[in-house]
Amino acid sequence: MPDMSVSIVPGTEKRAKDSRFLSVRNLTKAFGAFLALKDIDLDIAEGEFVCFLGPSGCGKTTLLRAIAGLDRQTSGTIMLRGRDVSHAPPSARDFGIVFQSYALFPNLSVADNIGYGLVNEKRARPEIERRVAELLALVGLPEQASKYPAQLSGGQQQRVALARALATSPGLLLLDEPLSALDARVRLRLREEIRSLQRRLGVTTIMVTHDQEEALSMAERIVVMNHGVIEQVGTPEEVYAWPQTAFVADFVGRMTFLSGVMSEGGIVDIGSHPLRVQSANLPPGATVEVGLRPEAVRLVAALGGENRLAMRIEALEYLGSFVRATLAVRAGSPLTLLADIPFNRMQDQPLKPGDHVVAHLPAEALRLFPARTGG
Amino acid sequence: MFASLRRDREALVASLLVGVLALILLLLIAIPLWSLLSKAVQNGQGAFIGLGNFERYFATPALVRSLWNSIWLSALVALIVVPLAFIYAYALTRSLMPARGLFMALALTPIFAPSLLSAISLIYVFGNQGFLKSWLMGGTIYGPIGIILAEVVYCFPHALMIIVTALRLADGRLYEVAEALGTSKPRVFFTVTLPGARYGMISAAFVVFTLVITDFGIPKVIGGQFNVLATDAYKQIVGQQNFEMGAVVGLILLAPAILAFVVDRQVQKKQVALLSARAVPYQPKPNAKRDWALLIYCLVVGGILLAMLGVAIWASFIRYWPYNLSYTLNNYQFDNFDPQGWNAYLTSLKMGAATAIIGTALIFTGAYLIEKTKPAPALRGFAHFLAMLPMAVPGLVLGLGYVFFVNAPWNPLGVFYGTLTVLVANSIAHFYTVAHITAVTALKQIDGEFESVSASLKVPFWTTFRRVTVPISMPAILDIAVYMFVNALTTVSAVIFLYGPSTKLASIAIVHMDEAGAVAAAAAMATCIVVTAMGVKLLHLLLDRLVFAKLQAWRKR
């Protein structure tokens, strides 16, 4: 796992780095009447690793391609190192890019692929060879220079694509779902490799992904997007623990939502069950959604005290290191929520569907969101 | 927009190139067609007279008779060819008959010959000196019978290719389901096989109809006194210099071709929908009785096709048919039969090579610009439309358009009339669409991000085109070049109006020598074309297997 504590906001402890290495202002992209990006504002600091996270069609790839200049925005500006590149062609923007499909040139050897951009810079042959060898060593493929892409595994191809993107030492590295086409094991290993490579080189990196786990484990900051707008920007901890919208809460990790009405004194009425919450800055009578992560639910011995509910186990789903239980209250108004039970807890006290349990929903783990409109 | 273009050299170059491409296509395709359309509504002095020419056309009984002749003849040929080709295609795709690949190759041989070769063979077999003349029981081969037989041979491979494709697209699961439900074999045929191939057969019928109605060579050689639209157009233009009436005939010929084009597009859309991504290819099961029956059928049909080529080739070596059957090369002394002699053959080779080289370079580069560059989307769409247009225009009609265009008094390009340049331009335009589709299909299979990666590496698109796109697409580029060469060599209908005294082509020399009664020499020249076309195709296959397999080592895993 990458160590998150090193530098959450780069530039604060290291020498003065540009906190607005890349600035996006009022960026909008329209395809006919459909708005793929709506008025996006975003700043990315030098050396930062940022993930654009969201479901397919949320606009994350559109934003990346606009930053690259591959698909021009309809309106808005993009500044790179304080220079307005909004209308500059891709070749004038100083970035390297890796695609999900790798887009390696099949008729060129690995070395020729990596040297593709260097040849164009009219560098001397031995210099190019030295640089290619250096990059091959960097991505851990020193022996593969003369092979063709079709002779490499998917993971190896992705490393070659990475080396090619880094060859010209770009200021900005763009990764468009780089790991999606790989199988699970290779994906995990490459995650760590890309992250440590990025740290070593200090190259500002933007990665587009729809995989929340990937974003949480790799990014210094996550930009969560949905329907062409940014829902939240924050560190992985912030996004996971303090989701600002119900969408973020549900997309990053799992969350159960319970509909309720604010009442007096930090209490929300979920049907006939009162729940104490911490952040109660909504007026009484407002309809709200109370969000709760399954792993925050505790199974306790007895009723009594706040936020404890007598529930019945409706179903159990075995998920390896834990068991996800569907709990329901049938008395009063019906209510269902998910609870993750650690595997060792299950071994100590086996549970089965139909068993009655008491669930404790800790007030500090309950998140309040305004009721979602339109379902 | 323009400010950003100036900064973006690549976009500027791409826009300029697309503009140049659109201009070339306008010149090659759109303006000649426009010349034909406008000529049809003008009188001899170039004044607009509305539909006056059409009124005159339909008031002339002889011309209307030709129209009617063309229609029923073409329909009849379609009705004969489609079922014949269907059974043949069925044998190739749905049976375990031996030597299926060989039979496929056999059926495609007529493509390598000018259409009139089969007509020449028929004359040798059933003509005035034919050894099977008695089979016609007093009838004559010079007329509808001869035309129909020769057209069937000429159109067979075209119909076969379409139907084979349709039958190959079948989903094997449908057959497994039918079998699991205990369906009888005939019922499976009528409820699964036939509906699956239905669209292909409709498409084939229209293609055949268009090929026949616009073919000039066969009715010219074997039609006798039987007039059809294509020979009318020739007589009006070349014989009577009546350009307006020729234009009307051309427009009438355009109608079925456009209809066929529209039907084909509709049919292809439906055909694609039939085959889902999850379909499993059909695997025929052994069935001795079926396989034997189909083998005999294919032997007969393939044998006839081969005979139609073979008789003319054989006859070209005969001293004096049918009285002296000893062998000679005298018929290949073309100088004795035609003032141009062997030059016609050399001109054809030059024309074919130029069409193949210039055409392939233009078409592939054009397809790349249309498919892979981003600026000027409207102009790229327009260029694509123009590239697709020749598909709907028969060669004869395009040739007429070129005549009017090049001969127009306002046209400075008139100096090119009768030169190799016009012949090459016309041939490139004539065969543009199929080559364009081949190129676009090949380009679509290439990762769409290559240009993006290049841009990020500051490599201009033309470098990537040269270093990556062209090498990867080499097999498709060769296919296009061979297609252009073979077709330029065998075509008659487009170029018959355009050649000049020093640029007579082999295919035209065949028509002239046949007209002059030197049928054996005509057969000899046709043989030269067939041998050359097949030779080039074989060379292509060999190159593909041996040389390019080595050059394209990167394709291997």
Side-chain angles (χ1 to χ4, degrees):
Chain A
M1 281 300 269
D3 183 0
M4 303 295 192
S5 65
V6 175
S7 93
I8 286 170
V9 185
T12 47
E13 74 256 301
K14 291 175 190 163
R15 66 186 166 77
K17 281 198 169 180
D18 189 354
S19 66
R20 285 191 180 172
F21 181 79
L22 177 75
S23 274
V24 173
R25 288 287 173 275
N26 308 106
L27 202 75
T28 296
K29 171 80 181 178
F31 293 106
F34 172 71
L35 282 179
L37 294 175
K38 296 172 203 162
D39 218 17
I40 298 285
D41 285 322
L42 182 66
D43 285 316
I44 290 173
E46 192 172 358
E48 206 177 7
F49 193 118
V50 174
C51 271
F52 293 174
L53 175 66
S56 59
C58 72
K60 56 190 191 297
T61 295
T62 311
L63 179 56
L64 188 86
R65 292 181 71 90
I67 291 170
L70 296 170
D71 291 322
R72 295 294 157 82
Q73 67 281 5
T74 310
S75 63
T77 57
I78 299 168
M79 309 279 282
L80 193 62
R81 287 189 172 123
R83 189 165 65 93
D84 186 352
V85 294
S86 312
H87 298 288
S91 53
R93 292 195 189 198
D94 185 34
F95 68 94
I97 191 162
V98 176
F99 292 101
Q100 183 182 347
S101 67
Y102 321 136
L104 292 178
F105 304 125
N107 61 322
L108 301 182
S109 68
V110 166
D112 285 342
N113 262 288
I114 296 174
Y116 198 76
L118 302 172
V119 170
N120 200 59
E121 291 181 347
K122 307 255 187 312
R123 296 203 202 177
R125 194 80 227 168
E127 196 195 331
I128 292 174
E129 276 165 21
R130 203 168 341 115
R131 176 77 178 136
V132 168
E134 198 180 295
L135 285 156
L136 276 170
L138 190 71
V139 296
L141 293 172
E143 309 295 316
Q144 317 283 351
S146 58
K147 283 194 179 169
Y148 289 107
Q151 296 162 331
L152 302 180
S153 71
Q156 290 173 322
Q157 291 187 35
Q158 194 55 284
R159 282 175 221 192
V160 174
L162 195 61
R164 180 177 64 180
L166 292 169
T168 51
S169 311
L172 182 61
L173 179 62
L174 305 177
L175 309 171
D176 186 5
E177 304 249 7
L179 305 176
S180 302
L182 299 169
D183 45 318
R185 247 169 211 292
V186 183
R187 195 152 59 202
L188 283 181
R189 206 172 59 231
L190 263 176
R191 252 191 219 171
E192 286 163 29
E193 284 182 21
I194 291 178
R195 192 63 185 87
S196 73
L197 191 66
Q198 190 270 342
R199 281 228 191 88
R200 251 185 299 156
L201 299 176
V203 56
T204 314
T205 302
I206 302 175
M207 181 171 93
V208 160
T209 180
H210 64 268
D211 181 342
Q212 43 117 349
E213 206 187 308
E214 207 166 280
L216 288 172
S217 70
M218 292 176 79
E220 286 170 279
R221 274 200 307 157
I222 297 177
V223 176
V224 187
M225 297 181 67
N226 188 32
H227 294 313
V229 298
I230 293 178
E231 295 264 343
Q232 184 172 359
V233 181
T235 64
E237 292 92 329
E238 285 166 356
V239 169
Y240 189 83
W242 295 101
Q244 281 167 10
T245 65
F247 170 80
V248 174
D250 202 25
F251 192 78
V252 182
R254 194 65 196 272
M255 199 168 254
T256 315
F257 293 96
L258 307 167
S259 304
V261 180
M262 281 306 294
S263 98
E264 303 290 335
I267 298 288
V268 179
D269 276 322
I270 309 289
S272 46
H273 315 285
L275 284 182
R276 173 166 296 283
V277 294
Q278 279 188 332
S279 55
N281 50 1
L282 287 157
T287 54
V288 293
E289 302 252 8
V290 179
L292 175 66
R293 299 227 179 260
E295 68 267 24
V297 178
R298 305 259 163 73
L299 296 188
V300 292
L303 285 168
E306 290 178 338
N307 296 1
R308 292 190 181 202
L309 296 172
M311 305 190 86
R312 205 181 87 115
I313 297 177
E314 296 290 311
L316 289 171
E317 190 186 357
Y318 178 69
L319 290 171
S321 57
F322 64 92
V323 173
R324 182 160 286 172
T326 309
L327 306 178
V329 179
R330 282 165 309 154
S333 60
L335 182 157
T336 308
L337 55 84
L338 297 175
D340 288 350
I341 308 167
F343 190 67
N344 47 19
R345 166 81 171 71
M346 282 295 280
Q347 278 185 320
D348 295 345
Q349 185 190 356
L351 293 167
K352 58 185 188 302
D355 285 356
H356 291 270
V357 292
V358 175
H360 175 216
L361 320 181
E364 65 275 13
L366 296 177
R367 303 280 172 263
L368 274 189
F369 303 101
R372 277 193 263 197
T373 48
Chain B
M1 168 81 194
F2 288 105
S4 67
L5 267 188
R6 225 173 296 134
R7 248 181 293 167
D8 188 347
R9 198 163 60 104
E10 270 191 68
L12 190 67
V13 172
S15 310
L16 273 177
L17 286 175
V18 172
V20 170
L21 174 73
L23 267 180
I24 293 176
L25 291 179
L26 272 176
L27 206 63
L28 281 183
I29 296 160
I31 302 179
L33 279 179
W34 173 251
S35 308
L36 174 76
L37 293 177
S38 55
K39 187 63 89 181
V41 292
Q42 288 171 359
N43 65 13
Q45 282 69 50
F48 179 78
I49 54 162
L51 296 177
N53 291 329
F54 290 85
E55 276 168 30
R56 210 146 52 83
Y57 178 91
F58 285 104
T60 316
L63 291 175
V64 176
R65 207 175 308 123
S66 305
L67 173 63
W68 173 237
N69 284 345
S70 274
I71 290 173
W72 72 257
L73 199 102
S74 306
L76 190 60
V77 172
L79 279 178
I80 296 170
V81 168
V82 170
L84 279 180
F86 176 81
I87 301 174
Y88 202 96
Y90 189 86
L92 294 178
T93 55
R94 301 297 176 84
S95 80
L96 294 172
M97 177 185 85
R100 293 192 298 277
L102 197 69
F103 277 110
M104 182 75 190
L106 185 64
L108 295 184
T109 46
I111 286 185
F112 298 98
S115 64
L116 39 72
L117 184 71
S118 54
I120 293 176
S121 288
L122 281 174
I123 290 174
Y124 275 112
V125 180
F126 298 106
N128 289 334
Q129 262 107 41
F131 51 87
L132 295 179
K133 185 168 187 274
S134 58
W135 285 24
L136 295 173
M137 291 179 293
T140 172
I141 198 72
Y142 301 100
I145 299 176
I147 298 177
I148 290 168
L149 288 177
E151 296 284 9
V152 167
V153 172
Y154 164 55
C155 297
F156 188 84
H158 298 274
L160 182 70
M161 283 191 285
I162 295 170
I163 298 175
V164 161
T165 309
L167 282 175
R168 276 209 182 121
L169 285 174
D171 186 351
R173 293 231 174 98
L174 289 178
Y175 290 86
E176 287 167 11
V177 169
E179 201 178 2
L181 293 171
T183 319
S184 70
K185 287 238 162 65
R187 186 144 181 258
V188 171
F189 181 81
F190 285 108
T191 55
V192 181
T193 308
L194 218 45
R198 181 176 58 202
Y199 296 124
M201 286 164 75
I202 294 172
S203 177
F206 273 93
V207 166
V208 170
F209 185 90
T210 310
L211 280 174
V212 176
I213 207 167
T214 61
D215 181 49
F216 168 75
I218 289 172
K220 179 81 183 68
V221 168
I222 205 170
Q225 298 307 309
F226 188 82
N227 288 323
V228 293
L229 284 173
T231 47
D232 274 0
Y234 180 69
K235 281 182 201 153
Q236 295 289 344
I237 301 279
V238 177
Q240 305 174 14
Q241 299 282 309
N242 187 346
F243 285 5
E244 295 69 39
M245 214 32 84
V248 169
V249 177
L251 270 189
I252 292 173
L253 283 173
L254 199 53
I258 288 176
L259 185 66
F261 178 72
V262 172
V263 168
D264 190 56
R265 308 251 20 208
Q266 293 301 318
V267 161
Q268 279 194 357
K269 265 184 221 156
K270 296 205 167 134
Q271 185 85 58
V272 171
L274 271 181
L275 194 76
S276 66
R278 295 231 209 117
V280 184
Y282 175 76
Q283 293 291 341
K285 293 190 184 67
N287 177 340
K289 231 194 288 175
R290 175 201 64 196
D291 292 352
W292 272 108
L294 289 171
L295 178 63
I296 291 166
Y297 174 82
C298 289
L299 277 172
V300 171
V301 173
I304 291 173
L305 291 177
L306 204 60
M308 291 292 253
L309 280 181
V311 168
I313 294 173
W314 176 49
S316 74
F317 295 104
I318 296 296
R319 197 171 296 276
Y320 190 54
W321 185 280
Y323 306 109
N324 182 352
L325 293 183
S326 61
Y327 295 108
T328 175
L329 285 175
N330 283 348
N331 297 321
Y332 287 81
Q333 309 288 329
F334 295 127
D335 300 317
N336 300 338
F337 306 99
D338 189 277
Q340 283 296 318
W342 272 96
N343 272 340
Y345 176 73
L346 294 179
T347 310
S348 267
L349 284 188
K350 256 191 265 173
M351 204 275 272
T355 304
I357 293 165
I358 301 169
T360 306
L362 171 70
I363 292 168
F364 189 81
T365 312
Y368 177 83
L369 290 171
I370 290 171
E371 193 59 35
K372 298 281 183 183
T373 63
K374 291 225 175 95
L379 204 56
R380 279 186 291 123
F382 180 61
H384 182 68
F385 166 76
L386 289 179
M388 295 303 288
L389 209 53
M391 179 85 112
V393 182
L396 189 76
V397 179
L398 193 68
L400 285 174
Y402 265 72
V403 172
F404 303 141
F405 171 54
V406 181
N407 282 323
W410 48 264
N411 190 351
L413 298 175
V415 293
F416 287 114
Y417 186 62
T419 63
L420 207 60
T421 311
V422 162
L423 292 174
V424 170
N426 173 270
S427 295
I428 292 174
H430 187 180
F431 307 114
Y432 202 102
T433 308
V434 173
H436 177 70
I437 292 172
T438 309
V440 166
T441 309
L443 288 168
K444 274 194 198 297
Q445 286 166 355
I446 297 177
D447 195 317
E449 307 292 10
F450 281 1
E451 277 67 29
S452 304
V453 167
S454 306
S456 79
L457 295 171
K458 303 182 175 57
V459 177
F461 71 85
W462 50 85
T463 304
T464 301
F465 177 71
R466 178 174 55 80
R467 280 194 69 190
V468 179
T469 313
V470 169
I472 294 180
S473 310
M474 219 44 193
I477 292 174
L478 268 185
D479 276 349
I480 294 172
V482 170
Y483 168 85
M484 298 294 279
F485 182 82
V486 167
N487 278 289
L489 210 58
T490 57
T491 186
V492 181
S493 51
V495 290
I496 191 88
F497 305 110
L498 295 172
Y499 74 95
S502 63
T503 55
K504 189 196 270 189
L505 299 169
S507 55
I508 297 165
I510 298 173
V511 174
H512 287 175
M513 291 191 282
D514 170 74
E515 225 166 18
V519 184
M525 188 62 99
T527 302
C528 291
I529 293 181
V530 175
V531 169
T532 311
M534 284 188 172
V536 166
K537 185 68 198 173
L538 280 178
L539 198 69
H540 172 210
L541 291 177
L542 270 171
L543 271 178
D544 230 20
R545 287 269 165 83
L546 300 174
V547 182
F548 288 96
K550 273 185 197 148
L551 285 182
Q552 309 236 322
W554 49 268
R555 282 189 202 277
K556 287 196 206 92
R557 294 202 157 267

